[in-house]
Amino acid sequence: MNALMAGGAAWTQRLFGVLLCITLVGNMQAAWGAIDYLKAMPPKGSVRQGEVVYVDDGRCPTGEVKKITGGNQMTGVPRQVECVKKPAAGAPP
């Protein structure tokens, strides 16, 4: 009986591992599948340091959007703003 229970535990662990992988891949595809574009610059302090958001406010040349990389006011790291080509829908942010 113990051998059967040990086999059942191994099967359960494998199933859990497979389900975890499917969930992670699904979440990555959802995150990379669509990029949200803000219509206006976010308020200072609202974008975490290193976080990237895109703003399509019409101030960059055609086909480009603003890429905002968050800074940190407390440590003196400035927010970075640059116009970049509009990222493809399937590209990682």
Side-chain angles (χ1 to χ4, degrees):
M1 195 68 146
N2 287 338
L4 180 60
M5 291 178 73
W11 182 86
T12 303
Q13 286 178 340
R14 283 191 198 112
L15 178 62
F16 178 75
V18 168
L19 292 175
L20 180 63
C21 288
I22 290 170
T23 301
L24 291 175
V25 169
N27 287 341
M28 287 183 348
Q29 287 178 338
W32 290 350
I35 297 175
D36 291 327
Y37 296 99
L38 304 176
K39 294 294 181 191
M41 289 287 286
K44 290 204 181 275
S46 64
V47 181
R48 292 174 291 177
Q49 184 173 355
E51 180 182 5
V52 174
V53 297
Y54 295 95
V55 177
D56 190 0
D57 61 2
R59 295 188 181 197
C60 290
T62 303
E64 293 187 0
V65 293
K66 285 182 189 172
K67 177 182 173 184
I68 313 297
T69 305
N72 187 325
Q73 294 176 344
M74 302 296 256
T75 60
V77 176
R79 173 187 279 192
Q80 297 175 4
V81 180
E82 61 182 319
C83 288
V84 297
K85 289 190 186 256
K86 206 169 199 175

